[in-house]
Amino acid sequence: MQDVRHDSTLLDPGRTIRIMRSLQLDVPDEVYDRLVEMARLEGIPVEEMAIQLLGGPADVGTNAELLASLPDLGLTPAQILDALHAERR
């Protein structure tokens, strides 16, 4: 992965810039063709479409973060298993 950084604020001090890393991916032709079609339909560059698609799952969080966000219902694992077994009878 190549880290590309530049400071264009020297030219325009009021400008906010995003520092982004460059990532080159090798994908099958059919994946690339689908990205091109999706980008065309949205009217955006292929690279922007790929960033949108890759960014979605990255924003979800880890399994541990998802579990930590669930409410605590005060149930023990044994109670949950007992309820499951009772439901299956």
Side-chain angles (χ1 to χ4, degrees), residues 76-87 89:
T76 66
Q79 290 172 310
I80 295 169
L81 289 174
D82 289 343
L84 284 172
H85 291 295
E87 187 74 26
R89 292 181 202 152

Side-chain angles (χ1 to χ4, degrees), residues 44-55:
I44 59 176
V46 175
E47 294 81 2
E48 188 175 332
M49 177 57 66
I51 290 169
Q52 287 180 12
L53 293 172
L54 289 170

Side-chain angles (χ1 to χ4, degrees), residues 28-73:
D29 288 343
E30 58 272 8
V31 172
Y32 182 78
D33 292 344
R34 181 66 181 130
L35 278 173
V36 169
E37 179 63 14
M38 292 170 69
R40 185 188 66 76
L41 291 172
E42 293 292 324
I44 59 176
V46 175
E47 294 81 2
E48 188 175 332
M49 177 57 66
I51 290 169
Q52 287 180 12
L53 293 172
L54 289 170
D59 292 337
V60 172
T62 64
N63 287 342
E65 291 168 338
L66 291 173
L67 287 173
S69 72
L70 295 174
D72 182 2
L73 301 177

